[in-house]
Coordinates of all heavy atoms in Angstrom, one line a residue:
M1 N 69.1 -32.8 23.8 CA 68.8 -31.4 24.1 C 68.6 -30.7 22.8 O 69.4 -30.8 22.0 CB 69.9 -30.8 24.9 CG 69.8 -29.5 25.3 SD 71.1 -29.0 26.4 CE 71.0 -27.3 26.3
W2 N 67.6 -29.9 22.7 CA 67.3 -29.1 21.6 C 68.3 -27.9 21.5 O 68.5 -27.3 22.5 CB 65.9 -28.6 21.6 CG 65.5 -27.8 20.4 CD1 65.0 -28.3 19.2 CD2 65.5 -26.4 20.3 NE1 64.8 -27.3 18.4 CE2 65.0 -26.1 19.0 CE3 65.8 -25.3 21.1 CZ2 64.9 -24.9 18.5 CZ3 65.7 -24.1 20.6 CH2 65.2 -23.8 19.3
Q3 N 68.8 -27.8 20.3 CA 69.7 -26.6 20.1 C 69.2 -25.8 19.0 O 68.7 -26.3 17.9 CB 71.1 -27.1 19.7 CG 71.9 -27.8 20.9 CD 73.2 -28.2 20.4 OE1 73.5 -28.6 19.3 NE2 74.1 -28.0 21.3
R4 N 69.3 -24.5 19.1 CA 68.9 -23.5 18.2 C 70.2 -23.3 17.3 O 71.2 -22.9 17.8 CB 68.5 -22.3 18.7 CG 68.0 -21.3 17.8 CD 67.5 -20.0 18.5 NE 66.6 -19.4 17.6 CZ 65.4 -18.9 17.9 NH1 65.0 -19.1 19.1 NH2 64.7 -18.3 17.0
R5 N 70.0 -23.5 16.0 CA 71.2 -23.3 15.1 C 70.8 -22.1 14.1 O 69.8 -22.1 13.7 CB 71.4 -24.5 14.2 CG 71.9 -25.7 15.1 CD 72.2 -26.9 14.2 NE 71.0 -27.5 13.8 CZ 70.8 -28.4 12.9 NH1 71.8 -28.7 12.1 NH2 69.6 -28.9 12.6
T6 N 71.8 -21.3 13.9 CA 71.6 -20.2 12.9 C 72.5 -20.5 11.7 O 73.6 -20.9 11.8 CB 72.1 -18.9 13.6 OG1 71.4 -18.7 14.8 CG2 71.9 -17.8 12.6
V7 N 71.8 -20.3 10.6 CA 72.5 -20.6 9.3 C 72.7 -19.2 8.6 O 71.8 -18.4 8.6 CB 71.6 -21.5 8.4 CG1 72.2 -21.8 7.1 CG2 71.5 -22.9 9.2
W8 N 73.7 -19.1 7.8 CA 74.0 -17.9 7.1 C 72.7 -17.5 6.2 O 72.1 -18.4 5.6 CB 75.1 -18.1 6.1 CG 75.5 -16.9 5.3 CD1 76.3 -15.8 5.7 CD2 75.0 -16.5 4.0 NE1 76.3 -14.9 4.8 CE2 75.6 -15.3 3.7 CE3 74.2 -17.1 3.1 CZ2 75.3 -14.6 2.5 CZ3 74.0 -16.5 1.8 CH2 74.5 -15.3 1.7
G9 N 72.4 -16.2 6.3 CA 71.2 -15.9 5.5 C 69.8 -16.0 6.3 O 68.8 -15.5 5.9
M10 N 69.9 -16.5 7.5 CA 68.7 -16.7 8.3 C 68.8 -15.8 9.6 O 69.9 -15.7 10.1 CB 68.5 -18.1 8.8 CG 68.2 -19.1 7.7 SD 67.9 -20.8 8.5 CE 67.7 -21.7 7.0
S11 N 67.7 -15.2 10.0 CA 67.6 -14.5 11.2 C 67.7 -15.5 12.4 O 67.5 -16.7 12.2 CB 66.4 -13.6 11.3 OG 65.3 -14.4 11.6
A12 N 67.8 -15.0 13.6 CA 67.9 -15.8 14.8 C 66.5 -16.6 15.0 O 66.5 -17.6 15.5 CB 68.2 -15.0 16.0
N13 N 65.4 -16.0 14.5 CA 64.1 -16.7 14.6 C 63.9 -17.8 13.7 O 62.8 -18.5 13.7 CB 63.0 -15.6 14.5 CG 62.9 -14.8 15.7 OD1 63.3 -15.2 16.8 ND2 62.5 -13.6 15.6
Q14 N 64.7 -17.9 12.6 CA 64.5 -18.9 11.6 C 65.5 -20.0 11.7 O 66.6 -19.9 11.3 CB 64.7 -18.2 10.2 CG 63.8 -17.1 10.0 CD 64.2 -16.2 8.9 OE1 65.3 -16.1 8.5 NE2 63.2 -15.5 8.4
T15 N 65.1 -21.1 12.4 CA 66.0 -22.2 12.6 C 65.9 -23.2 11.6 O 64.9 -23.4 10.9 CB 65.6 -22.9 14.0 OG1 64.2 -23.3 13.9 CG2 65.8 -21.9 15.2
V16 N 67.0 -24.0 11.5 CA 67.0 -25.1 10.5 C 65.9 -26.1 10.8 O 65.6 -26.5 12.0 CB 68.4 -25.8 10.6 CG1 68.4 -27.0 9.6 CG2 69.5 -24.8 10.2
G17 N 65.2 -26.4 9.8 CA 64.1 -27.4 10.0 C 62.7 -26.7 10.4 O 61.7 -27.2 10.1
G18 N 62.8 -25.5 11.0 CA 61.7 -24.7 11.4 C 61.5 -23.5 10.6 O 60.8 -22.6 11.0
Y19 N 62.2 -23.3 9.5 CA 62.2 -22.2 8.8 C 60.8 -21.8 8.3 O 60.3 -22.4 7.5 CB 63.2 -22.3 7.6 CG 63.5 -21.1 6.9 CD1 64.3 -20.2 7.4 CD2 63.2 -20.9 5.5 CE1 64.8 -19.0 6.7 CE2 63.5 -19.8 4.8 CZ 64.4 -18.9 5.4 OH 64.7 -17.7 4.7
Y20 N 60.3 -20.7 8.9 CA 58.9 -20.2 8.5 C 57.9 -21.3 8.7 O 56.9 -21.3 8.0 CB 58.9 -19.7 7.0 CG 59.7 -18.6 6.7 CD1 60.4 -18.5 5.5 CD2 59.9 -17.5 7.5 CE1 61.2 -17.4 5.1 CE2 60.7 -16.4 7.2 CZ 61.3 -16.4 6.0 OH 62.1 -15.4 5.6
M21 N 58.0 -22.1 9.6 CA 57.1 -23.3 9.8 C 55.6 -22.8 10.0 O 54.8 -23.4 9.4 CB 57.6 -24.2 10.9 CG 56.8 -25.5 10.9 SD 57.0 -26.3 9.3 CE 58.0 -27.6 9.7
K22 N 55.5 -21.9 11.0 CA 54.1 -21.4 11.2 C 53.5 -20.9 9.9 O 52.3 -21.1 9.6 CB 54.1 -20.4 12.3 CG 54.4 -20.9 13.7 CD 54.4 -19.8 14.7 CE 55.3 -20.1 15.8 NZ 56.0 -19.0 16.3
Y23 N 54.3 -20.0 9.2 CA 53.8 -19.4 8.0 C 53.4 -20.5 6.9 O 52.4 -20.4 6.3 CB 54.9 -18.5 7.5 CG 54.6 -17.9 6.1 CD1 53.7 -16.9 5.9 CD2 55.2 -18.5 5.0 CE1 53.4 -16.4 4.6 CE2 54.9 -18.1 3.7 CZ 54.0 -17.0 3.5 OH 53.7 -16.6 2.2
R24 N 54.3 -21.5 6.8 CA 54.0 -22.5 5.8 C 52.7 -23.3 6.1 O 52.0 -23.6 5.2 CB 55.1 -23.6 5.8 CG 56.4 -23.1 5.0 CD 57.3 -24.3 4.8 NE 58.6 -23.8 5.2 CZ 59.6 -24.7 5.5 NH1 59.3 -26.0 5.4 NH2 60.7 -24.3 5.8
K25 N 52.5 -23.5 7.4 CA 51.2 -24.2 7.8 C 50.1 -23.3 7.5 O 49.0 -23.7 7.0 CB 51.3 -24.6 9.2 CG 52.2 -25.8 9.5 CD 52.2 -26.2 10.9 CE 53.2 -27.4 11.1 NZ 53.2 -28.0 12.4
I26 N 50.1 -22.0 7.9 CA 49.1 -21.1 7.6 C 48.8 -20.9 6.2 O 47.6 -21.0 5.7 CB 49.4 -19.7 8.2 CG1 49.3 -19.8 9.8 CG2 48.4 -18.6 7.8 CD1 49.9 -18.6 10.5
Y27 N 49.8 -20.8 5.4 CA 49.7 -20.7 3.9 C 49.1 -21.9 3.3 O 48.1 -21.8 2.5 CB 51.1 -20.4 3.3 CG 51.1 -20.2 1.8 CD1 50.6 -19.1 1.2 CD2 51.6 -21.3 1.0 CE1 50.6 -19.0 -0.2 CE2 51.6 -21.2 -0.4 CZ 51.0 -20.1 -1.0 OH 51.0 -19.9 -2.3
G28 N 49.5 -23.1 3.7 CA 49.0 -24.3 3.1 C 47.5 -24.5 3.5 O 46.7 -24.9 2.6
F29 N 47.2 -24.1 4.7 CA 45.8 -24.1 5.2 C 44.9 -23.2 4.3 O 43.9 -23.6 3.8 CB 45.7 -23.8 6.6 CG 44.3 -23.8 7.2 CD1 43.5 -25.0 7.2 CD2 43.8 -22.7 7.9 CE1 42.3 -25.1 7.7 CE2 42.5 -22.8 8.4 CZ 41.8 -23.9 8.3
L30 N 45.3 -22.0 4.2 CA 44.6 -21.0 3.3 C 44.4 -21.5 1.9 O 43.3 -21.5 1.4 CB 45.3 -19.7 3.3 CG 45.2 -18.9 4.6 CD1 46.2 -17.7 4.5 CD2 43.8 -18.4 4.9
I31 N 45.5 -22.1 1.3 CA 45.4 -22.5 -0.1 C 44.4 -23.6 -0.2 O 43.7 -23.8 -1.1 CB 46.8 -22.9 -0.5 CG1 47.7 -21.6 -0.7 CG2 46.8 -23.6 -1.9 CD1 47.2 -20.5 -1.5
S32 N 44.5 -24.5 0.8 CA 43.6 -25.7 0.8 C 42.1 -25.4 0.8 O 41.2 -26.1 0.3 CB 43.9 -26.7 1.9 OG 43.4 -26.2 3.1
L33 N 41.8 -24.1 1.3 CA 40.4 -23.7 1.4 C 40.1 -22.7 0.3 O 39.1 -22.0 0.3 CB 40.2 -23.0 2.8 CG 40.3 -24.0 3.9 CD1 40.2 -23.1 5.2 CD2 39.3 -25.1 3.9
G34 N 41.1 -22.5 -0.7 CA 40.8 -21.6 -1.8 C 41.0 -20.1 -1.4 O 40.5 -19.2 -2.1
K35 N 41.7 -19.9 -0.3 CA 41.9 -18.5 0.2 C 43.3 -18.0 -0.2 O 44.2 -18.8 -0.5 CB 41.7 -18.4 1.7 CG 40.4 -18.9 2.1 CD 39.5 -17.7 2.5 CE 38.2 -18.3 3.1 NZ 37.1 -17.5 2.6
K36 N 43.5 -16.7 -0.2 CA 44.8 -16.1 -0.5 C 45.4 -15.4 0.7 O 44.6 -15.1 1.7 CB 44.7 -15.1 -1.7 CG 44.2 -15.7 -2.9 CD 44.0 -14.6 -3.9 CE 43.3 -15.2 -5.2 NZ 43.0 -14.2 -6.2
L37 N 46.7 -15.2 0.7 CA 47.3 -14.4 1.8 C 46.7 -13.1 1.9 O 46.5 -12.5 3.0 CB 48.8 -14.4 1.6 CG 49.6 -15.7 1.8 CD1 51.0 -15.5 1.4 CD2 49.5 -16.1 3.3
Q38 N 46.3 -12.5 0.8 CA 45.7 -11.1 0.8 C 44.4 -11.2 1.6 O 44.1 -10.2 2.3 CB 45.5 -10.7 -0.7 CG 45.0 -9.3 -0.7 CD 45.9 -8.2 -0.2 OE1 47.2 -8.3 -0.5 NE2 45.4 -7.2 0.5
D39 N 43.6 -12.3 1.4 CA 42.4 -12.4 2.2 C 42.7 -12.4 3.7 O 41.9 -11.8 4.5 CB 41.7 -13.7 1.8 CG 41.2 -13.9 0.4 OD1 40.9 -12.8 -0.2 OD2 41.3 -15.0 -0.1
F40 N 43.7 -13.1 4.2 CA 44.1 -13.1 5.5 C 44.6 -11.8 6.0 O 44.1 -11.3 7.1 CB 45.2 -14.2 5.7 CG 45.6 -14.4 7.2 CD1 44.6 -14.4 8.2 CD2 46.8 -14.8 7.5 CE1 45.0 -14.6 9.6 CE2 47.2 -15.0 8.9 CZ 46.3 -14.9 9.8
A41 N 45.4 -11.1 5.2 CA 45.9 -9.8 5.5 C 44.7 -8.8 5.7 O 44.6 -8.1 6.7 CB 46.8 -9.2 4.5
E42 N 43.8 -8.8 4.8 CA 42.6 -7.9 4.8 C 41.8 -8.3 6.1 O 41.3 -7.4 6.7 CB 41.7 -8.1 3.6 CG 42.4 -7.5 2.4 CD 41.6 -7.7 1.1 OE1 40.6 -8.3 1.1 OE2 42.2 -7.2 0.1
H43 N 41.6 -9.6 6.4 CA 40.9 -10.0 7.6 C 41.5 -9.5 8.9 O 40.8 -9.1 9.8 CB 40.6 -11.5 7.6 CG 39.5 -11.9 8.4 ND1 38.2 -11.7 8.1 CD2 39.5 -12.6 9.6 CE1 37.4 -12.2 9.1 NE2 38.2 -12.8 10.0
L44 N 42.8 -9.4 8.8 CA 43.6 -8.9 10.0 C 43.5 -7.4 10.1 O 43.9 -6.8 11.1 CB 45.0 -9.4 10.0 CG 45.3 -10.9 10.2 CD1 46.8 -11.2 10.0 CD2 44.9 -11.3 11.6
G45 N 43.3 -6.8 8.9 CA 43.2 -5.3 8.8 C 44.6 -4.8 8.6 O 44.9 -3.6 9.1
I46 N 45.5 -5.6 8.0 CA 46.9 -5.1 7.7 C 47.1 -5.3 6.2 O 46.4 -5.9 5.6 CB 47.9 -5.9 8.6 CG1 47.9 -7.4 8.3 CG2 47.6 -5.7 10.1 CD1 48.9 -8.2 8.9
S47 N 48.3 -4.7 5.8 CA 48.8 -4.9 4.4 C 49.4 -6.2 4.3 O 49.8 -6.8 5.2 CB 49.7 -3.7 4.0 OG 50.9 -3.9 4.8
K48 N 49.5 -6.6 3.0 CA 50.2 -7.8 2.7 C 51.7 -7.7 3.1 O 52.3 -8.7 3.6 CB 50.1 -8.2 1.2 CG 50.5 -9.6 0.9 CD 50.2 -10.0 -0.6 CE 50.7 -11.4 -0.8 NZ 50.4 -11.8 -2.2
Q49 N 52.3 -6.5 3.0 CA 53.7 -6.3 3.5 C 53.8 -6.6 5.0 O 54.7 -7.2 5.5 CB 54.1 -4.9 3.1 CG 55.6 -4.6 3.6 CD 56.6 -5.6 3.0 OE1 56.6 -5.8 1.8 NE2 57.5 -6.2 3.8
Q50 N 52.8 -6.1 5.7 CA 52.8 -6.3 7.2 C 52.7 -7.8 7.5 O 53.3 -8.3 8.5 CB 51.7 -5.5 7.8 CG 52.0 -4.0 7.9 CD 50.8 -3.3 8.4 OE1 49.7 -3.3 7.8 NE2 50.9 -2.5 9.5
L51 N 51.9 -8.6 6.7 CA 51.8 -10.0 6.9 C 53.1 -10.6 6.6 O 53.6 -11.5 7.3 CB 50.7 -10.5 6.0 CG 50.4 -12.0 6.1 CD1 49.9 -12.3 7.6 CD2 49.3 -12.5 5.2
S52 N 53.8 -10.1 5.6 CA 55.1 -10.7 5.2 C 56.1 -10.4 6.4 O 56.9 -11.2 6.7 CB 55.6 -10.0 3.9 OG 56.8 -10.5 3.6
N53 N 56.0 -9.2 7.0 CA 56.8 -8.9 8.2 C 56.6 -9.9 9.4 O 57.6 -10.3 10.0 CB 56.7 -7.5 8.6 CG 57.2 -6.5 7.7 OD1 58.0 -6.8 6.7 ND2 56.7 -5.3 7.8
K54 N 55.4 -10.3 9.6 CA 55.1 -11.3 10.6 C 55.8 -12.6 10.2 O 56.3 -13.2 11.1 CB 53.5 -11.4 10.7 CG 52.8 -10.4 11.4 CD 51.3 -10.7 11.5 CE 50.6 -9.6 12.2 NZ 50.8 -9.7 13.7
K55 N 55.7 -13.0 9.0 CA 56.3 -14.1 8.5 C 57.8 -14.1 8.9 O 58.4 -15.1 9.4 CB 56.1 -14.4 7.0 CG 56.9 -15.6 6.5 CD 56.8 -15.7 5.0 CE 57.9 -14.8 4.4 NZ 58.0 -14.9 3.0
N56 N 58.5 -13.0 8.4 CA 59.9 -12.9 8.6 C 60.5 -12.8 10.0 O 61.6 -13.2 10.3 CB 60.4 -11.7 7.8 CG 60.2 -11.8 6.3 OD1 60.2 -12.9 5.7 ND2 60.1 -10.7 5.6
T57 N 59.6 -12.4 10.9 CA 60.0 -12.3 12.3 C 59.4 -13.4 13.1 O 59.5 -13.4 14.3 CB 59.6 -10.9 12.9 OG1 58.2 -10.8 12.7 CG2 60.4 -9.8 12.2
D58 N 58.6 -14.3 12.5 CA 57.9 -15.4 13.2 C 57.0 -14.9 14.3 O 57.0 -15.3 15.4 CB 58.9 -16.4 13.7 CG 58.3 -17.7 14.1 OD1 57.3 -18.1 13.5 OD2 58.8 -18.3 15.0
A59 N 56.2 -13.8 13.9 CA 55.5 -13.1 15.0 C 54.0 -13.2 14.8 O 53.2 -12.3 14.9 CB 55.8 -11.6 14.8
F60 N 53.5 -14.5 14.6 CA 52.1 -14.7 14.6 C 51.5 -14.9 16.0 O 51.9 -15.7 16.8 CB 51.7 -15.9 13.8 CG 51.9 -15.7 12.3 CD1 53.1 -16.2 11.7 CD2 51.0 -15.0 11.5 CE1 53.3 -16.0 10.4 CE2 51.2 -14.8 10.1 CZ 52.4 -15.3 9.6
S61 N 50.6 -14.0 16.4 CA 50.1 -14.0 17.8 C 48.8 -14.9 17.9 O 48.3 -15.3 16.8 CB 49.6 -12.5 18.1 OG 48.5 -12.1 17.4
A62 N 48.4 -15.1 19.1 CA 47.1 -15.9 19.3 C 46.0 -15.1 18.6 O 45.1 -15.8 18.0 CB 46.9 -16.0 20.8
D63 N 46.0 -13.8 18.7 CA 44.9 -13.0 18.0 C 44.9 -13.3 16.6 O 43.9 -13.4 15.9 CB 45.1 -11.6 18.3 CG 44.6 -11.2 19.7 OD1 44.1 -12.0 20.5 OD2 44.6 -9.9 20.0
D64 N 46.1 -13.4 15.9 CA 46.2 -13.7 14.5 C 45.6 -15.0 14.2 O 44.9 -15.2 13.2 CB 47.6 -13.7 14.0 CG 48.4 -12.3 14.1 OD1 47.6 -11.3 14.1 OD2 49.6 -12.3 14.2
L65 N 45.9 -16.0 15.0 CA 45.4 -17.3 14.8 C 43.8 -17.4 15.0 O 43.1 -18.1 14.3 CB 46.1 -18.4 15.7 CG 47.6 -18.5 15.4 CD1 48.2 -19.4 16.3 CD2 47.8 -18.9 13.9
I66 N 43.3 -16.7 16.0 CA 41.9 -16.6 16.2 C 41.2 -16.0 15.0 O 40.2 -16.4 14.5 CB 41.5 -15.8 17.5 CG1 42.0 -16.5 18.7 CG2 40.1 -15.4 17.5 CD1 42.0 -15.7 20.0
M67 N 41.9 -14.9 14.4 CA 41.3 -14.3 13.2 C 41.4 -15.2 12.0 O 40.5 -15.3 11.1 CB 42.0 -13.0 12.9 CG 41.7 -11.9 13.9 SD 40.0 -11.4 14.0 CE 39.9 -10.5 12.3
L68 N 42.5 -16.1 11.9 CA 42.6 -17.1 10.9 C 41.4 -18.1 11.0 O 40.7 -18.4 10.0 CB 43.9 -17.8 11.0 CG 44.1 -19.0 10.0 CD1 44.2 -18.4 8.6 CD2 45.4 -19.7 10.4
A69 N 41.1 -18.5 12.2 CA 40.0 -19.4 12.4 C 38.7 -18.7 12.0 O 37.8 -19.4 11.4 CB 39.9 -19.9 13.8
D70 N 38.5 -17.5 12.3 CA 37.3 -16.8 12.0 C 37.2 -16.7 10.4 O 36.1 -17.0 9.9 CB 37.3 -15.4 12.6 CG 36.0 -14.6 12.3 OD1 34.9 -15.1 12.7 OD2 36.1 -13.5 11.6
L71 N 38.2 -16.3 9.7 CA 38.2 -16.2 8.3 C 37.9 -17.6 7.6 O 37.2 -17.6 6.6 CB 39.6 -15.7 7.8 CG 39.9 -15.7 6.3 CD1 39.0 -14.7 5.7 CD2 41.3 -15.5 6.0
T72 N 38.3 -18.6 8.2 CA 38.2 -20.0 7.6 C 37.0 -20.7 8.1 O 36.9 -22.0 7.8 CB 39.5 -20.8 7.7 OG1 39.8 -20.9 9.1 CG2 40.7 -20.1 7.0
N73 N 36.2 -20.1 9.0 CA 35.1 -20.7 9.6 C 35.5 -22.0 10.3 O 34.8 -23.1 10.2 CB 34.0 -21.0 8.6 CG 32.6 -21.2 9.1 OD1 32.3 -20.6 10.1 ND2 31.8 -22.0 8.5
T74 N 36.5 -21.8 11.1 CA 37.0 -23.0 11.9 C 37.1 -22.5 13.4 O 36.8 -21.3 13.7 CB 38.4 -23.5 11.4 OG1 39.3 -22.4 11.4 CG2 38.2 -24.1 10.0
T75 N 37.6 -23.3 14.3 CA 37.9 -22.9 15.6 C 39.3 -23.2 16.0 O 39.9 -24.1 15.6 CB 37.0 -23.8 16.6 OG1 35.6 -23.7 16.2 CG2 37.1 -23.5 18.0
L76 N 39.9 -22.2 16.8 CA 41.1 -22.4 17.4 C 41.0 -23.1 18.8 O 40.3 -22.6 19.6 CB 41.9 -21.1 17.5 CG 43.3 -21.2 18.1 CD1 44.3 -22.0 17.2 CD2 43.9 -19.8 18.4
A77 N 41.6 -24.3 18.9 CA 41.4 -25.0 20.1 C 42.6 -25.8 20.5 O 43.4 -26.2 19.7 CB 40.2 -25.9 19.9
L78 N 42.7 -26.1 21.8 CA 43.7 -27.1 22.3 C 42.9 -28.4 22.5 O 41.9 -28.4 23.2 CB 44.3 -26.6 23.7 CG 45.1 -25.3 23.5 CD1 45.6 -24.9 24.9 CD2 46.2 -25.4 22.6
V79 N 43.5 -29.4 22.0 CA 42.8 -30.7 22.1 C 43.7 -31.7 22.7 O 45.0 -31.7 22.4 CB 42.5 -31.2 20.6 CG1 41.8 -32.5 20.6 CG2 41.6 -30.2 19.9
D80 N 43.2 -32.5 23.7 CA 44.1 -33.5 24.3 C 44.3 -34.6 23.5 O 43.8 -34.7 22.4 CB 43.6 -33.8 25.7 CG 42.4 -34.7 25.7 OD1 42.1 -35.3 24.7 OD2 41.7 -34.8 26.8
K81 N 45.3 -35.5 23.8 CA 45.6 -36.6 23.0 C 44.4 -37.7 22.8 O 44.5 -38.5 21.9 CB 46.8 -37.4 23.7 CG 48.1 -36.5 23.6 CD 49.2 -37.3 24.2 CE 50.4 -36.3 24.0 NZ 51.7 -36.9 24.4
N82 N 43.4 -37.6 23.6 CA 42.2 -38.4 23.4 C 41.2 -37.7 22.5 O 40.1 -38.3 22.2 CB 41.6 -38.7 24.7 CG 42.5 -39.5 25.6 OD1 43.1 -40.5 25.1 ND2 42.6 -39.2 26.8
G83 N 41.5 -36.5 21.9 CA 40.6 -35.8 21.1 C 39.6 -34.9 21.7 O 38.7 -34.3 21.1
K84 N 39.8 -34.8 23.0 CA 38.8 -33.9 23.8 C 39.3 -32.5 23.7 O 40.4 -32.2 24.0 CB 38.7 -34.4 25.2 CG 37.8 -33.5 26.0 CD 37.7 -34.0 27.5 CE 36.9 -33.0 28.3 NZ 37.1 -33.2 29.7
I85 N 38.5 -31.5 23.3 CA 38.7 -30.1 23.4 C 38.8 -29.6 24.8 O 37.9 -29.8 25.5 CB 37.6 -29.3 22.6 CG1 37.6 -29.7 21.1 CG2 38.0 -27.8 22.8 CD1 36.6 -29.0 20.3
V86 N 40.0 -29.1 25.3 CA 40.1 -28.7 26.6 C 40.1 -27.1 26.7 O 39.9 -26.6 27.8 CB 41.4 -29.2 27.3 CG1 41.4 -30.7 27.4 CG2 42.6 -28.8 26.4
L87 N 40.4 -26.4 25.6 CA 40.2 -25.0 25.6 C 40.0 -24.5 24.2 O 40.6 -25.0 23.2 CB 41.6 -24.4 26.0 CG 41.8 -22.9 26.1 CD1 40.8 -22.4 27.1 CD2 43.2 -22.6 26.5
E88 N 39.0 -23.7 24.0 CA 38.6 -23.1 22.7 C 38.6 -21.6 22.7 O 38.2 -21.0 23.7 CB 37.2 -23.7 22.4 CG 36.7 -23.4 21.0 CD 35.4 -24.3 20.7 OE1 35.0 -25.0 21.6 OE2 35.0 -24.1 19.6
F89 N 39.0 -21.0 21.6 CA 39.1 -19.6 21.5 C 38.1 -19.1 20.5 O 37.8 -19.8 19.5 CB 40.5 -19.1 21.1 CG 41.6 -19.5 22.1 CD1 42.3 -20.7 22.0 CD2 41.9 -18.6 23.1 CE1 43.3 -21.0 22.9 CE2 42.9 -18.9 24.0 CZ 43.5 -20.1 24.0
S90 N 37.6 -17.9 20.6 CA 36.7 -17.3 19.7 C 37.0 -15.8 19.5 O 37.9 -15.3 20.2 CB 35.3 -17.5 20.1 OG 35.0 -16.7 21.2
K91 N 36.3 -15.1 18.6 CA 36.6 -13.7 18.4 C 36.4 -12.9 19.7 O 37.0 -11.8 20.0 CB 35.7 -13.1 17.3 CG 36.2 -13.4 15.9 CD 35.4 -12.8 14.9 CE 35.7 -11.3 14.8 NZ 35.1 -10.7 13.7
E92 N 35.5 -13.4 20.6 CA 35.3 -12.7 21.9 C 36.6 -12.7 22.8 O 36.7 -11.9 23.7 CB 34.2 -13.4 22.7 CG 32.8 -13.1 22.1 CD 32.5 -13.9 20.8 OE1 33.0 -15.1 20.8 OE2 31.9 -13.4 20.0
D93 N 37.6 -13.6 22.5 CA 38.8 -13.6 23.2 C 39.9 -12.7 22.7 O 41.0 -12.6 23.2 CB 39.4 -15.1 23.2 CG 38.5 -16.0 23.9 OD1 38.0 -15.7 25.0 OD2 38.1 -17.1 23.4
L94 N 39.6 -12.0 21.6 CA 40.6 -11.1 21.0 C 41.0 -10.0 21.9 O 40.1 -9.5 22.7 CB 40.1 -10.5 19.7 CG 39.9 -11.5 18.5 CD1 39.2 -10.8 17.3 CD2 41.3 -12.0 18.1
S95 N 42.2 -9.5 21.9 CA 42.7 -8.4 22.7 C 41.9 -7.2 22.2 O 41.6 -6.9 21.0 CB 44.1 -8.2 22.5 OG 44.9 -9.3 22.8
K96 N 41.6 -6.3 23.2 CA 40.9 -5.1 22.9 C 42.0 -4.1 22.4 O 43.0 -3.9 23.1 CB 40.2 -4.5 24.1 CG 39.2 -5.4 24.7 CD 37.9 -5.5 23.8 CE 36.9 -6.3 24.5 NZ 36.4 -7.3 23.8
K97 N 41.9 -3.5 21.3 CA 42.8 -2.6 20.7 C 42.3 -1.2 20.7 O 41.2 -0.9 20.7 CB 43.2 -3.0 19.3 CG 43.9 -4.3 19.3 CD 44.4 -4.8 17.9 CE 45.0 -6.1 18.1 NZ 45.5 -6.7 16.8

């Protein structure tokens, strides 16, 4: 059974082993493409501080990931274990604000 553990200095959203895991993957992906966090923040229309707040609260939304895909000229998709795309997202799927 999975247990959520809290460690001194970590918020409830930052679990051992999963500490900033989404952020680390996003950051690594951007760096591998020669992009910066500032590029992502600007593409989202937010400040770098607001992006940092998303990291600290583990609050990356599906819209954020769709925008990440747009910035990096990739696609956000769910792929089955056989490699077949079963669901694909694009900018047309973004929430209307």
Side-chain angles (χ1 to χ4, degrees):
M1 182 173 160
W2 183 81
Q3 290 183 321
R4 183 179 202 132
R5 295 182 282 164
T6 303
V7 176
W8 182 84
M10 293 183 183
S11 74
N13 287 330
Q14 300 162 338
T15 58
V16 174
Y19 193 67
Y20 298 141
M21 191 55 107
K22 290 178 206 140
Y23 170 79
R24 283 192 228 159
K25 288 182 178 185
I26 290 169
Y27 179 74
F29 180 57
L30 288 169
I31 295 302
S32 75
L33 297 174
K35 304 256 184 222
K36 299 177 185 173
L37 288 173
Q38 186 64 39
D39 298 326
F40 186 34
E42 289 173 5
H43 199 69
L44 290 173
I46 62 175
S47 70
K48 195 170 177 185
Q49 179 59 48
Q50 288 171 301
L51 185 61
S52 180
N53 291 343
K54 286 179 175 286
K55 173 189 84 169
N56 292 335
T57 58
D58 196 32
F60 290 100
S61 68
D63 282 2
D64 295 336
L65 298 177
I66 291 169
M67 291 297 288
L68 175 65
D70 182 61
L71 173 66
T72 59
N73 200 32
T74 59
T75 302
L76 179 63
L78 297 177
V79 181
D80 71 16
K81 292 182 180 185
N82 296 316
K84 179 183 174 195
I85 295 173
V86 293
L87 183 61
E88 191 170 359
F89 296 93
S90 68
K91 282 185 75 172
E92 288 75 37
D93 296 313
L94 292 171
S95 301
K96 304 285 187 236
K97 295 180 182 179

